Structures are given as structure tokens and as C-alpha cells.
Amino acid sequence: MQERRKWIDVARGVSIILVVLGHSGNEWIDHYFGWFRMPLFFLVSGLLFKSVMPDKYISWALKRIRTFMIPYFAYGIGIAILVAAKQRDPLSVSRDICNLIYGGTVLGGWYGVFWFITCLLLVHLLMGFLTRYPVKVQAAAVLVSYTAAHFVSMTPFAEKDIPWNADVALMAVAFFFLGYTVKSPLASWLERRTWFIPALLISTAAIVLNIERIWIFRMDMKMKGYTQPVLDLIVPLACVLVVLQLCYWISRWRVSSILAFLGTVTISIMYLHIPVNIVLKFGLGMEYGSFVFTLAGVVLPLGVAWIMSKSSLLSMLFLGQQGFGRKEKLQGKLKAAG
């Protein structure tokens, strides 16, 4: 695995672990990791994004919608059936499917992370359209979007349940765009540690100020919890740069292959870490803290994904293009051919 590619996969692996950890119920973790865990995911997604030719946009968009929404409904309907069986209420399936169609903040509990999928899809569709224009035009559009997101967050509109969290996509596209535009120089910056010290100082200062309650910063993308337009970009971005620098260094260690692998199989972890822990905690009556929550939320969904990978139909429905370990298999074939 090439170093550049590996550190990106390591960052994706770290991102999904932070997402799971953030849902473990620890208020401290949720507060501080909430500053950057979703911005990190959107920015890293931007690193992997490629421009779309205008004449190919419609076909590309339809393919992208299928890629995102087939697993979305496959997991959603599967969870809905499980919930109905647990509650002994078959009618809850149709209600939950209606909520899945609407998406966004109406989804909670078992479906707590589903908002992210539709939000990311909307960001992809928006950026795919914008890439036909010069970077300056893209930047202007993203700035307008970022401004509109803050207008929504600081008005009564913040209380509205917008389908697919489309209003949050206005915010998320800023981090996605940054990842997309700095993908070329970023590896060089990380190699030279260009931004590490400034980013670390900003992150540390923000943490200290919050601990001392001199200034309170909050970032909750799903619930539109961003009301400081300048700092809502600076603080998360500083934290993200620190994490990316650490991921770049970690990628040089052999053990980093585990994190890199997680970065290639995030889909099952994203969808299943909350249902798995609900079943363990409330279904089986188990009590545990953040560490076990995170471990169970990562390992058990991976086991489920591995089982599903043995079926082409289940792979298509639940794993999509990402598959399970396909990159490793491909590399093995290339090495064998060499």
C-alpha cells in the first residue's frame, strides 16, 4: 500500500473509531471529540473525491445515489425488522421506513448515524456539480453555503427537521471542499510538519479555555450546533490537522495496517455500531463503559460484514462498492502477478 494512500486509510480508520467512541455515552468524549470527528470524516472524504465531467454528471450522480442509498435502505429495513420484533409491533416497520425516506434529524436511537449518509451524499452531488467550474467559483459557492448554514443554525430554522439533513450539508461541504482542494499539497505539508505546531497550539488553547470555562465551544453537526462562524471552521480544522499529522506518522508503523484496513470497511461499522450496543446493553442487560462500547461497535460489525461478504447478494446490498477487504485481495493479486 502506497504511503500516501495508507495514511488516508489510517485517517478513515481513526475517523470511524472516533465516531463509535463519540456515541459511547461519555459526555467529555462527546463534547471534545465532537469538535472534529465529523469534520474529519467529511474532509477525508474530500481527499478521495475526483472531479466530474459535466457531460457525465447525470450518470455519475445516479450511480452515486445507488451506491449510497442501497446500503442505506438495506441496513435501515433490516434494523426496522429487528426493532419490530423486539417491540412486537409489526406496524413499526412501515413507520420506520417512512422516517428513513425522510431522513435527517427525525432518525435517532437505532438509526442515530443514518443522517450522515444522506448528508454526505448531498455533499457529493453538490461538489460533483461544482467541479465543472473554476476553483474560485467553487470557493465562492462553498462560502455562500457555509454562511447559509450558520444562518439556519442561529435562527428558528435550526429546530426544523429538514429532509436528509440537507441544511447540514451546507456546512459539511466546507470541510469536504477543503479536503478536495488541498489533496495535492497535504501530503507534503504532513511530511514537513508545516501546520502541526500552529494547529496543535490552537487546539490546545481551545481545550484549555473550555476546561477553564472561559469560553465554550460546541460542534454538533447533526443538530446544527455551530453558532460561531469563524471559529466553527478554525477550531475543527486545527484539530483535524493534528489528527491527520498523527495518522501520517502512525502510517509508517507496521501496526497501522489494522487502522488502514478499518478505513476500507467503514460502512458496516457506521451502520451497526449503535444497534449492536443497544442489543448488548438493553437486549442482553450488559453494562460497560466507553472502551467496551467502542470495541464491540467495531469488532462485531466487522464480523457481520465478513459473513455478508461471503454472499454476492448480501455484499451488493450491505457492503456496496467498498466490499470487505477487496483492496487487500487486489494487492495480493497484483503481487502474485508481479
Side-chain angles (χ1 to χ4, degrees), residues 59-80:
S59 60
W60 171 87
L62 292 174
K63 182 178 180 181
R64 193 56 53 103
I65 291 170
R66 289 195 300 271
T67 299
F68 276 76
M69 299 311 291
I70 289 176
Y72 176 90
F73 281 107
Y75 281 102
I77 293 171
I79 292 171

Side-chain angles (χ1 to χ4, degrees), residues 36 41 72 119 140 184 190 192 196 200 231 234 240 270 325:
F36 64 90
F41 224 116
Y72 176 90
C119 182
S184 296
L190 296 176
R192 299 175 183 177
F196 180 62
L200 183 62
L231 294 173
I234 293 176
V240 166
M270 179 67 78

Side-chain angles (χ1 to χ4, degrees), residues 127-184:
M127 274 303 304
F129 181 81
L130 288 178
T131 55
R132 69 187 65 195
Y133 300 108
V135 174
K136 289 184 179 180
V137 176
Q138 297 174 31
V142 170
L143 179 60
V144 170
S145 177
Y146 184 81
T147 304
H150 280 83
F151 171 79
V152 170
S153 71
M154 293 185 283
T155 65
F157 288 109
E159 304 300 322
K160 305 295 184 181
D161 294 318
I162 304 300
W164 286 22
N165 265 73
D167 47 353
V168 178
L170 297 174
M171 176 73 173
V173 72
F175 296 103
F176 192 95
F177 173 74
L178 287 172
Y180 172 71
T181 53
V182 304
K183 65 173 67 179
S184 296

Side-chain angles (χ1 to χ4, degrees), residues 30-31 34-35 37-38 115 165 168 217-226 232:
D30 184 52
H31 176 71
W35 293 1
R37 67 173 183 261
M38 298 318 299
W115 73 273
N165 265 73
V168 178
F217 181 75
R218 176 174 174 263
M219 172 71 77
D220 185 340
M221 293 192 70
K222 178 181 180 181
M223 304 308 298
K224 289 152 278 189
Y226 34 83
D232 286 337

Side-chain angles (χ1 to χ4, degrees), residues 59-137:
S59 60
W60 171 87
L62 292 174
K63 182 178 180 181
R64 193 56 53 103
I65 291 170
R66 289 195 300 271
T67 299
F68 276 76
M69 299 311 291
I70 289 176
Y72 176 90
F73 281 107
Y75 281 102
I77 293 171
I79 292 171
I81 293 172
L82 179 61
V83 172
K86 181 179 181 298
Q87 296 178 345
R88 298 181 181 179
D89 179 14
L91 295 179
S92 70
V93 174
S94 59
R95 293 195 298 268
D96 285 358
I97 290 176
C98 288
N99 286 337
L100 285 167
I101 293 172
Y102 194 88
T105 49
V106 302
L107 297 171
W110 295 74
Y111 310 94
V113 299
F114 277 60
W115 73 273
F116 169 76
I117 305 300
T118 53
C119 182
L120 181 61
L121 171 59
L122 293 175
V123 170
H124 272 252
L125 296 178
L126 176 58
M127 274 303 304
F129 181 81
L130 288 178
T131 55
R132 69 187 65 195
Y133 300 108
V135 174
K136 289 184 179 180
V137 176

Side-chain angles (χ1 to χ4, degrees), residues 222-242:
K222 178 181 180 181
M223 304 308 298
K224 289 152 278 189
Y226 34 83
T227 57
Q228 303 178 57
V230 176
L231 294 173
D232 286 337
L233 189 63
I234 293 176
V235 173
L237 187 57
C239 295
V240 166
L241 287 172
V242 171

